[in-house]
Each structure stands twice: as structure tokens, then as C-alpha cells.
Amino acid sequence: MIKEASTYPLLFSREQIAEKVSELGAAITRDFRGEKVVLVGVLKGAAIFLADLARTIDVTCTFDFIAVSSYHSGAQSSGAVQLIKDVDQSVEDRNVILVEDILDSGVTLTFLHRQFQGHKPRTMRVAALLDKPARRRVAVEADYVGFPIENHFVVGYGMDYAEQFRNLPDIRILPEEVIARIEAET
Ligand code: IMP
Ligand code: MG
């Protein structure tokens, strides 16, 4: 599967991703110099991004993870977001950086903003590796954006289609015929 997936159209190579992630890490380091941050990754798509981003941030930093469900399996959001796993440690009075793989309709981020306000963080920022502004249904933006992209369904570097392709090292566009084939199989 990985061999076949390496033929899907390349959107960002691992080198381009690494360079961009370093820029985001440098911006976060600048903004939070002398402070502590807690990176809160949104499982599972942001796991790889968080792992790389964390290593480019040069301030005291801890990790936590949350999980939400909205995309049940495929490419269309059901629109309803549910919290499946909350943070393990209190984020009250902490500098929270929510780490997302991709900002699409904005429904998930809007839900998470609301969710986190209840936890009373000192500050809350959002880092999203990718952003599809054309798909936005709710007006919400990330503070740190890697790459704005067109309306493609992308996989790799943590991002999936029906839980597949997260382990691709580059970010690729998932061809329509592959989507159709996976749909037929499941
Ligand atoms: P939103 O609530 O529509 O903004 O959805 C955001 C979530 O949908 C992201 O965190 C991803 O998990 C998922 N998602 C949106 N677009 C893509 C894509 O192109 N590939 C993989 N996952 C995506
Ligand atoms: Mg996600």
C-alpha cells in the first residue's frame, strides 16, 4: 500500500514539511520566550506533526493529547464533534498551543475553542500544519499555519483516509479512484 501511495500526487515533500515545521517552531519560541507551553495534540492526525514541532520549540514544553470524533471514516464531516478524550492534566493558567493537522470546515476547532475556554488557560493558540480556507463553514483561524492549500483531500504525515496512509512521510493528494476503491472495500 505504501509503495502504491508513493505514486499519488506529491503536495509537500518531507523536506518541505521539515523546513516549514522549523519555521513554526521558531515563531512559537519567539512568542513564548521565558514562558512554558503545553502542546495539546488532536489525535490521531496531529501526532506526527506534534512530535516534529515539539523538537523545534526551544522553550519549556509539555505534551497532552485530546481526541475528537467527527469524520467517521471517509472524507465528509458529519458536522457533529464529540470529545472522546480530554486532557490528562489541568491547563488552567497555562499557555496552551492546540496542535491540529489540518483546518478544514472549522467545525472541530470551533468546538475545541469552546471546550478549552472552560479549562481557563492563560493563553490559547492554534497551530495547524495545513489550512483549507475555501472549505470553511465557521469563521475560525489558526495562529500558526504551515501551508494554506486548495480543496484537495490529502493524506500522509499523520493524516488519514479511513485510518490509512498516516505513515506516509510526505503529504500527498488522495486520488478520487483510490477513495472510490476504499469505499467499495469497506
Ligand atoms: P474540520 O472540523 O472540518 O475543520 O475538520 C478538521 C479535521 O478533519 C482535521 O483535523 C482532519 O482530521 C480532518 N480532515 C480535514 N481535511 C482532511 C484531509 O484532506 N485529509 C485528512 N484529514 C482531513
Ligand atoms: Mg484531526
Side-chain angles (χ1 to χ4, degrees):
M1 196 38 132
I2 281 289
K3 190 148 184 277
E4 182 201 299
S6 67
T7 67
Y8 300 165
L10 181 68
L11 193 56
F12 301 111
S13 68
R14 64 201 86 179
E15 292 81 13
Q16 288 173 298
I17 299 166
E19 196 181 323
K20 186 60 75 174
V21 170
S22 296
E23 287 172 24
L24 298 180
I28 291 169
T29 301
R30 239 184 280 113
D31 293 352
F32 290 95
R33 195 169 298 288
E35 298 188 60
K36 295 179 188 167
V37 300
V38 49
L39 300 181
V40 178
V42 184
L43 293 172
K44 296 171 243 179
I48 292 177
F49 175 39
L50 185 143
D52 284 345
L53 180 67
R55 286 176 284 180
T56 68
I57 294 175
D58 191 17
V59 300
T60 304
C61 166
T62 58
F63 299 173
D64 212 325
F65 293 93
I66 56 174
V68 294
S69 73
S70 67
Y71 279 66
H72 290 299
S73 57
Q76 278 306 310
S77 173
S78 67
V81 185
Q82 272 182 305
L83 191 72
I84 296 173
K85 183 209 167 301
D86 205 346
V87 286
D88 292 334
Q89 275 161 4
S90 167
V91 295
E92 190 171 336
D93 205 31
R94 317 257 321 258
N95 297 307
V96 171
I97 300 176
L98 197 65
V99 181
E100 258 281 38
D101 49 1
I102 178 164
L103 181 52
D104 187 32
S105 70
V107 171
T108 307
L109 185 54
T110 303
F111 170 84
L112 290 174
H113 261 301
R114 205 168 297 144
Q115 175 73 24
F116 269 85
Q117 287 324 310
H119 288 316
K120 300 197 172 54
R122 181 206 300 266
T123 61
M124 166 142 170
R125 300 277 183 278
V126 177
L129 181 62
L130 303 180
D131 183 9
K132 290 191 213 172
R135 294 259 305 169
R136 207 72 94 250
R137 286 194 284 146
V138 199
V140 63
E141 296 305 329
D143 302 282
Y144 305 99
V145 174
F147 304 99
I149 66 168
E150 304 285 303
N151 183 16
H152 298 124
F153 197 84
V154 297
V155 293
Y157 198 72
M159 290 170 284
D160 74 308
Y161 182 80
E163 296 297 328
Q164 295 180 56
F165 312 111
R166 294 194 196 275
N167 59 330
L168 295 183
D170 309 299
I171 297 176
R172 294 179 182 272
I173 297 170
L174 190 63
E176 288 293 339
E177 61 271 20
V178 178
I179 295 181
R181 196 183 67 212
I182 294 171
E183 285 301 297
E185 283 167 4
T186 52

